[in-house]
Amino acid sequence: MTLRPTRRIILQGAAASGLAATLAAPALAADGAVIKLRLLETSDLHTFVEDYDYYRDQKDETVGLTKIATLVRAARKSARNSMLFDNGDTIQGNPLADFVAQPGNFPADGIHPTIRAMNGMGYDAATIGNHEFNYGLALLTRALAGANFPICSANYLDEAGAPILPATLILERRFTAEDGTIHPLKIGVIGFLPPQIIDWDREHLAGRVRSTDIVEAAHQHVPALRAQVDLLVALSHSGISTLPRQGGEENASFYLAAVPGIDVIFTGHSHKVFPGPDYASEYGVDAERGTLNGIPAVMPGFWGSELGVIDLTLAQSGGRWTVADFTVSTQPIAMRQDRQVTSLAANDPAVDAAVAPEHAKTLAWIREPIGTLTQPVTSYTALVSGADSSLALVNAAQLWYAAPLLPTALHGLPVLSAAAPFKEGYQSPDNYIELTAGSIAIKDVADLYMYPNTIAAVRVSGTELAEWLERSAGIFNRIDPGNPAPQPLLNPHVPSYSFDVIAGLTYQIDITQPARRGRYGDARRIVNLAYRGVPVAPSQAFIVITNNYRADSAFAQNPAAVVLRAPDQVRDVITRYILAQRRITVATPEIWSFAPIGAPVTVSFESAPQAARYLSALPGLTSLGDGGDGYTTYTLQLA
Ligand code: MN
Ligand code: MG
């Protein structure tokens, strides 16, 4: 049977040590008791509560907390003792979140729909992720206030450096041992997020919020917490990287695992699955068993795709509990075989009911037509051709909106626009943009631009422009001109959103050269960089329209370069552009191309089967058929 705690005492933050001291210490039980404890994790839900793809306006059985809730019920039923945690990136990520964030749309009961669904599931604790700040602090505060479970973060700090939420939690639970005896245990919880929030959401956080290095925050808080608890769980909204540590890492879970006193690490942020083939076993990482520096660790995908499960065996010795054994796994809500999706979990009626009002309102909102496309707009060619229609539409809307807003002192400078593809098959072969000619609705704009970024503009030199494009070109593998075999074109570790294409320029990318590592290097992949046919001079000044995320992360060392911070989100700008034009024809001049290689080479890449219709316009394109997991492999002849 499942034992739910009959007496929950939650000791939060600064009050924890004082309160804990007033509680009677549990009497030492005889040695030898064994407790089996199942710890469950959700992460990066991004408001995917329903099994619904709001961009395609159809059901999607590969996403949804409603499916996870069913897995949670089953996981609890088959365990004597269990706890449930969420790892953040919870209130942003799809049109439901956008709808709720609009003025006047916050639910009348004061509870964010995702939190309302989670409240019904009996979460024990949660932390926050980087995307929680995308709509500003007011919405975040409102959303967190509705949670019936405690939320902690050790490196989300106010201007004075004090934690805004409790840095740590102590949860008291009574667990049933294998021999039927009941034992009170204290579970310590500590939460972390990427300190990069300060750059990524500077417009919301500047002057109000600080953050610190994840590992430093752990060293600051773990020893005191460890001294008070039987088990210590880290909720790390941060991915896994084994590169030599420099400090301030976005993906710090591996280094966190080396901090003494942590028993279990829940990871996330990278939208991958651990343990499993998304990660390679290497020194300190066991990608099969699920350990980081020997500590059990799990990452449960994204959008409710998987439930993270860590089964602990706790053994009592001398009155102390230690982790004697563990297994780590993830449970998917669906299986994808070729193009076929098989659901592995039914919807949970309670979760469906919890979000039904906002789900219905979101559907009505996304279906409102706003204009007409005279041609299809897709992202299938974004990484292989400089004439991609999805990027061209975003860049056209950004220029239309931002150029008139530039300070008059900058008038006369060339104005360019940068956009990167977000939906590029990274998560599944369905993860592309394909808007057909005809009516276009808000859901299509949300599909075209899935992040709530705002418009920004930066002033750059010709040298900085070239440097920017060098970093973008890092998405391509280095191609050996002497190798006659097909060579994979794309580096799977570089996300497509880092591949900015800058409209207004023309350039070529020499993929026989090594990718730029770090900010400065000698490699030159960008050649023949020109503006209106004239080579770009190193000292020439340009304005580039981009988003706040790129402006603040690429120009963190030089904030003065940011010459415009517009209040509007890029997708609101696209919506207004379409409303203003009504009939949209997208011009797609070729912005970039692969530089001549000097020898015939074949590069290969994966894309969707249905991409063939658009890719076949490229010279030298061949489809090789099934590439596994629903993808099709294509090759491109270069010379
Ligand atoms: Mn996320
Ligand atoms: Mg994240």
Side-chain angles (χ1 to χ4, degrees):
M1 62 164 277
T2 304
L3 183 85
R4 297 296 301 156
T6 53
R7 186 176 60 102
R8 284 191 172 195
I9 302 173
I10 296 158
L11 307 174
Q12 299 192 357
S17 50
L19 266 173
T22 67
L23 291 167
L28 294 187
D31 276 6
V34 169
I35 289 174
K36 296 207 166 171
L37 172 60
R38 175 165 288 171
L39 302 178
L40 305 171
E41 183 207 14
T42 57
S43 187
D44 297 272
L45 292 173
H46 286 284
T47 62
F48 281 86
V49 180
E50 282 300 271
D51 55 334
Y52 206 82
D53 181 339
Y54 293 98
Y55 309 108
R56 289 168 183 263
D57 199 3
Q58 64 190 32
K59 263 182 120 55
D60 180 354
E61 298 200 298
T62 68
V63 301
L65 182 63
T66 182
K67 307 277 190 188
I68 291 287
T70 298
L71 297 184
V72 167
R73 275 183 207 275
R76 281 174 170 158
K77 214 169 182 172
S78 58
R80 272 200 166 164
N81 311 290
S82 63
M83 298 179 80
L84 175 62
F85 300 92
D86 182 73
N87 222 33
D89 277 4
T90 307
I91 62 162
Q92 176 279 334
N94 72 21
L96 174 79
D98 292 336
F99 176 79
V100 170
Q102 293 206 339
N105 284 356
F106 202 85
D109 68 353
I111 305 192
H112 190 285
T114 305
I115 301 291
R116 198 188 299 129
M118 293 171 75
N119 281 347
M121 288 173 58
Y123 275 86
D124 290 274
T127 193
I128 56 174
N130 53 297
H131 279 291
E132 259 68 77
F133 306 99
N134 292 166
Y135 302 113
L137 289 175
L139 185 99
L140 172 59
T141 306
R142 235 172 150 180
L144 296 183
N148 69 2
F149 46 89
I151 300 166
C152 63
S153 180
N155 67 335
Y156 168 47
L157 311 173
D158 67 17
E159 265 302 273
I164 293 171
L165 298 170
T168 64
L169 307 166
I170 297 175
L171 310 176
E172 297 214 340
R173 296 291 184 270
R174 295 167 71 80
F175 293 136
T176 305
E178 292 300 282
D179 63 4
T181 55
I182 295 191
H183 302 259
L185 268 76
K186 289 181 183 161
I187 294 86
V189 184
I190 184 165
F192 305 98
L193 47 66
Q196 284 74 12
I197 56 165
I198 303 308
D199 292 331
W200 293 339
D201 271 308
R202 180 177 294 162
E203 64 187 271
H204 296 307
L205 304 184
R208 306 173 72 181
V209 166
R210 287 173 47 193
S211 187
T212 50
D213 177 73
I214 289 173
V215 175
E216 280 175 28
H219 280 298
Q220 189 185 342
H221 292 283
V222 165
L225 182 62
R226 176 80 259 178
Q228 302 175 70
V229 300
D230 300 297
L231 182 73
L232 201 158
V233 176
L235 305 181
S236 173
H237 185 90
S238 182
I240 302 164
S241 165
T242 56
L243 293 174
R245 182 163 146 76
Q246 300 186 313
E249 276 88 359
E250 174 184 352
N251 295 311
S253 296
F254 173 71
Y255 320 113
L256 184 62
V259 174
I262 295 174
D263 293 311
V264 168
I265 296 193
F266 289 119
T267 77
H269 182 60
S270 300
H271 292 203
K272 295 189 186 256
V273 176
F274 183 87
D278 286 353
Y279 289 90
S281 287
E282 54 185 300
Y283 183 77
V285 176
D286 190 331
E288 280 165 33
R289 194 178 182 212
T291 62
L292 300 175
N293 284 313
I295 304 290
V298 72
M299 191 190 299
F302 59 95
W303 301 357
S305 63
E306 317 233 352
L307 176 68
V309 183
I310 297 182
D311 280 313
L312 298 176
T313 302
L314 303 174
Q316 194 181 33
S317 167
R320 290 167 47 92
W321 293 95
T322 52
V323 177
D325 196 10
F326 58 84
T327 59
V328 182
S329 62
T330 64
Q331 293 179 9
I333 62 168
M335 225 172 55
R336 188 188 289 273
Q337 225 169 3
D338 299 323
R339 300 236 67 211
Q340 208 63 38
V341 170
T342 309
S343 174
L344 301 176
N347 282 23
D348 183 307
V351 169
D352 289 346
V355 296
E358 289 80 15
H359 178 60
K361 286 178 191 170
T362 302
L363 290 181
W365 177 64
I366 61 169
R367 289 168 182 167
E368 287 168 24
I370 52 171
T372 304
L373 287 177
T374 61
Q375 82 229 72
V377 170
T378 82
S379 68
Y380 292 124
T381 57
L383 298 179
V384 290
S385 156
D388 182 75
S389 55
S390 66
L391 297 179
L393 177 51
V394 172
N395 275 327
Q398 289 185 166
L399 272 173
W400 168 84
Y401 167 86
L405 300 182
L406 292 170
T408 45
L410 300 174
H411 286 183
L413 293 182
V415 182
L416 314 172
S417 181
F422 298 147
K423 296 188 71 175
E424 217 40 58
Y426 173 62
Q427 295 169 331
S428 82
D430 296 331
N431 192 242
Y432 289 89
I433 292 156
E434 184 174 357
L435 309 180
T436 51
S439 173
I440 180 167
I442 284 172
K443 67 184 175 189
D444 303 318
V445 177
D447 192 29
L448 191 61
Y449 203 100
M450 59 188 289
Y451 296 110
N453 297 335
T454 52
I455 294 271
V458 292
R459 182 195 165 119
V460 296
S461 67
T463 302
E464 288 170 317
L465 206 50
E467 191 64 36
W468 188 332
L469 292 170
E470 287 289 348
R471 269 175 277 152
S472 291
I475 198 163
F476 299 112
N477 287 325
R478 186 179 189 181
I479 298 303
D480 175 2
N483 183 353
Q487 302 175 57
L489 177 64
L490 301 168
N491 181 341
H493 299 292
V494 178
S496 67
Y497 60 70
S498 70
F499 183 66
D500 269 334
V501 170
I502 303 187
L505 299 172
T506 51
Y507 49 97
Q508 293 178 311
I509 302 176
D510 183 353
I511 50 178
T512 67
Q513 295 301 308
R516 182 66 56 93
R517 299 274 174 245
R519 192 171 162 80
Y520 300 104
D522 297 330
R524 286 282 177 273
R525 285 185 152 186
I526 301 301
V527 293
N528 297 327
L529 178 60
Y531 172 68
R532 290 190 176 161
V534 180
V536 168
S539 61
Q540 197 175 351
F542 294 88
I543 303 298
V544 184
I545 314 298
T546 179
N547 61 61
N548 65 306
Y549 179 94
R550 183 71 82 234
D552 287 333
S553 48
F555 297 90
Q557 308 308 319
N558 181 18
V562 184
V563 294
L564 172 71
R565 288 178 183 281
D568 292 302
Q569 291 187 9
V570 179
R571 52 187 172 209
D572 292 338
V573 163
I574 298 168
T575 299
R576 283 154 65 173
Y577 175 72
I578 294 168
L579 283 168
Q581 320 282 313
R582 284 292 169 185
R583 281 179 67 78
I584 304 294
T585 298
V586 184
T588 54
E590 186 178 71
I591 295 168
W592 64 270
S593 59
F594 292 113
I597 287 176
V601 301
T602 304
V603 295
S604 65
F605 62 96
E606 316 274 282
S607 188
Q610 68 273 20
R613 207 177 326 150
Y614 303 96
L615 292 170
S616 60
L618 302 177
L621 191 283
T622 306
S623 169
L624 296 189
D626 187 16
D629 292 335
Y631 292 91
T632 293
T633 303
Y634 297 89
T635 59
L636 200 53
Q637 299 286 341
L638 303 174

